[in-house]
Amino acid sequence: MDLEALQVSVRLALATLAVLLPLGLLAGHALAVREFRGKALVESLAALPLVLPPTVLGFYLLAGFGARSPLGTAFEAVMGHSLAFSFPGLLLASVIVNVPFVLQPIQRAFESVPRDVREAAACCGLTPLQAFVQVEAPLAWPGILTAAVLTFAHTLGEFGVVLMVGGSIPGETRTLSIAIYDRVQAFDDRSAGIMAASLLAIAVATLTLTTMLGRRVEPDRG
Amino acid sequence: MTARRRRPWLEAAAFVALALGPPGCAERPTLVAAASDLAFALDEIAVAFERHEGHRVAITYGSSGTLTRQIQDGAPFEVFLSADEAFVERLVEADLTRDGGTLYAVGRIVLFVPTGSPLSADEGFDGLHRLLAAGGVQRFAIANPEHAPYGRAAEEALRRHGLWETLRPALVLGENVSQAAQFATTGNAVGGIIAYSLALAPALSGRGSFALIDEADHAPLRQRMVRLARAGPVADRFYAYLQEPAARATLTRYGFVLPD
């Protein structure tokens, strides 16, 4: 039983969402409505964490913010502890890993808002911000919710990157998936089983909730 | 039967409910990094230390190589117990430690055979020779020799007995010796070479039989511990406690040979 690990996982998932969701809304909207040079490149870069193995990401992240990197040294000088193997470091890694999970559903959702709806909003004298808040975001709501749930669930289950940049420090970087790995190696199948069941329960609950919310949203769109 | 089956789910639900509550603001534990061969022995010592001194130590187990790398990359550990003193020396050279550390134990390896395996456990590897010749070895577990000292010792012993080349295609490498033990004891491999200290742990008793491998078959596993640069007063006391008779008795019980 590792309560601390569940707390770390949930805290990490919520913090990742808090950082990524606003950024995802801005970037996803921009990618959906604007055309610019190099857009394909930006989109591929944002999708990169989907196809890169966690070890590759973990390796670059360690090189990028480990104690021997400029960013790591600067962080240590200010905060008094290292960025790698700390919760802030884990959060930074988690934010990078989750970019495609938050960006893609949001971009798709804004793309599915018909162009004439946006133009009509502009004709009615709404500023772009008003149009975004009052017209576009409510229409894109299911996609935004999907992004949030995917990111939350993905962060809870993330293993490879956390293993490389986390270091399994209790209360700080030992997430639930790492705790399960540690317990299995300690021949403590019972604890591992209970934690695995908890993760499963959370995953089923989150996905069910999204489906239910999605259904309640659907009729409004028709 | 039904009640027994339902309980883990109830526990899981309670676990989720509790964990969603506010994080506690208990005293921060002292962070210790330790080689996986210590998993059971050091857990016992830590419990005794906590009862004795009233301070919490939180232990992270892994291969000595992985932990050394993490310490170099800034992991906030205060004490490091390596399975191979070379890793400690590396940290000493990088100026990440308080001093040169202390030799705390010499480790031994065993040939472990899970219950029901066609392999027989003997000191001279005769059973393994025979089973290999008969083509009966699908999987054999050791820790990764590249960064796990117990894996390196296993490789040396297998080479000494002329088994390394023939056995190689069948090897499954654990990230550390605990994972190798996991592979070797769950019947996923016909057997494996693991730490004596793990084979003696209560969690493994009844999972199979083992034979102690001759010390002369591999370079001695000289295990050194050291306080790291950020070690606080509790870390100092834990480090001292590890050298006291009670802790030494526990290490002996887990098959470690102790320095004077």
Side-chain angles (χ1 to χ4, degrees):
Chain A
M1 273 297 227
D2 198 338
L3 240 135
E4 243 176 5
L6 183 57
Q7 282 188 348
V8 171
S9 282
V10 171
R11 228 172 353 125
L12 183 67
L14 291 177
T16 305
L17 259 187
V19 174
L20 263 185
L21 210 51
L23 292 175
L25 281 173
L26 286 176
H29 184 260
L31 284 173
V33 303
R34 288 201 191 142
E35 289 305 325
F36 53 89
R37 275 167 71 99
K39 183 172 165 180
L41 181 66
V42 171
E43 283 177 331
S44 346
L45 283 178
L48 212 50
L50 277 182
V51 288
L52 275 185
T55 42
V56 174
L57 270 174
F59 172 74
Y60 282 121
L61 289 173
L62 265 187
F65 65 76
R68 291 171 286 187
S69 71
L71 181 59
T73 318
F75 186 89
E76 178 135 23
V78 177
M79 300 298 292
H81 66 86
S82 67
L83 184 54
F85 310 106
S86 72
F87 188 80
L90 209 55
L91 178 59
L92 178 60
S94 175
V95 162
I96 294 170
V97 171
N98 276 297
V99 164
F101 293 91
V102 83
L103 196 56
Q104 291 191 353
I106 291 179
Q107 184 183 345
R108 296 289 104 78
F110 282 120
E111 276 170 359
S112 71
V113 175
R115 201 198 176 101
D116 31 339
V117 170
R118 263 199 305 276
E119 281 164 0
C123 283
C124 292
L126 293 182
T127 65
L129 181 67
Q130 282 172 325
F132 179 83
V133 174
Q134 291 171 20
V135 181
E136 291 183 81
L139 285 174
W141 162 242
I144 297 168
L145 186 72
T146 307
V149 171
L150 271 181
T151 303
F152 186 83
H154 182 247
T155 308
L156 278 190
E158 174 59 42
F159 177 72
V161 174
V162 182
L163 187 71
M164 280 195 77
V165 305
S168 189
I169 294 156
E172 178 88 19
T173 63
R174 182 181 289 162
T175 60
L176 208 49
S177 54
I178 299 290
I180 292 171
Y181 177 73
D182 287 348
R183 286 291 94 204
V184 169
Q185 287 194 37
F187 297 87
D188 187 359
D189 289 6
R190 191 182 149 75
S191 290
I194 289 168
M195 286 190 278
S198 307
L199 260 188
L200 183 64
I202 295 173
V204 172
T206 348
L207 291 176
T208 312
L209 193 70
T210 344
T211 318
M212 277 163 55
L213 283 172
R215 284 223 187 93
R216 275 176 63 190
V217 169
E218 283 297 310
D220 294 353
R221 301 187 72 192
Chain B
M1 182 70 193
T2 333
R4 249 180 96 196
R5 225 192 249 162
R6 212 185 294 144
R7 259 178 66 212
W9 285 97
L10 276 176
E11 253 179 81
F15 178 44
V16 171
L18 277 167
L20 291 172
C25 41
E27 172 212 18
R28 241 195 104 100
T30 298
L31 301 177
V32 173
S36 302
D37 63 300
L38 293 161
F40 298 100
L42 198 60
D43 273 353
E44 270 189 32
I45 294 172
V47 168
F49 174 76
E50 284 170 18
R51 207 176 296 140
H52 195 254
E53 303 265 339
H55 290 290
R56 260 183 78 205
V57 287
I59 307 167
T60 299
Y61 294 105
S63 80
S64 299
T66 304
L67 293 170
T68 301
R69 169 78 207 216
Q70 292 186 349
I71 291 164
Q72 285 179 332
D73 280 326
F77 297 116
E78 298 176 59
V79 178
F80 173 41
L81 291 95
S82 173
D84 177 351
E85 56 184 353
F87 288 111
V88 166
E89 278 152 21
R90 200 152 158 179
L91 294 174
V92 172
E93 271 165 43
D95 209 19
L96 292 166
T97 64
R98 280 282 193 77
D99 49 32
T102 310
L103 186 73
Y104 65 91
V106 177
R108 298 285 305 270
I109 51 175
V110 300
L111 172 61
F112 192 98
V113 173
T115 313
S117 166
L119 189 62
S120 59
D122 61 272
E123 191 193 341
F125 291 102
D126 295 333
L128 190 55
H129 267 294
R130 260 187 313 231
L131 196 64
L132 259 177
V137 181
Q138 301 288 321
R139 295 266 179 276
F140 189 84
I142 65 170
N144 192 333
E146 281 185 53
H147 56 83
Y150 277 85
R152 202 205 53 220
E155 178 181 341
E156 285 168 5
L158 289 169
R159 281 188 191 280
R160 183 74 49 102
H161 286 271
L163 285 159
W164 181 252
E165 291 305 327
T166 28
L167 195 56
R168 219 164 161 176
L171 286 181
V172 278
L173 302 181
E175 194 276 327
N176 57 64
V177 70
S178 217
Q179 195 178 33
Q182 180 71 31
F183 294 158
T185 57
T186 49
N188 292 311
V190 294
I193 296 180
I194 66 171
Y196 189 26
S197 55
L198 295 181
L200 289 176
L204 266 76
S205 69
R207 290 188 186 231
S209 56
F210 61 87
L212 197 58
I213 293 169
D214 193 341
E215 300 181 80
D217 284 350
H218 58 91
L221 283 151
R222 288 169 58 85
Q223 309 205 170
R224 187 173 282 273
M225 63 179 174
V226 71
R227 279 168 301 169
L228 300 163
R230 68 181 73 231
V234 179
D236 283 338
R237 260 181 283 164
F238 185 61
Y239 185 76
Y241 184 80
L242 283 164
Q243 299 169 60
E244 285 171 17
R248 286 170 65 93
T250 306
L251 288 173
T252 312
R253 195 151 41 77
Y254 277 91
F256 289 105
V257 180
L258 297 199
D260 309 317

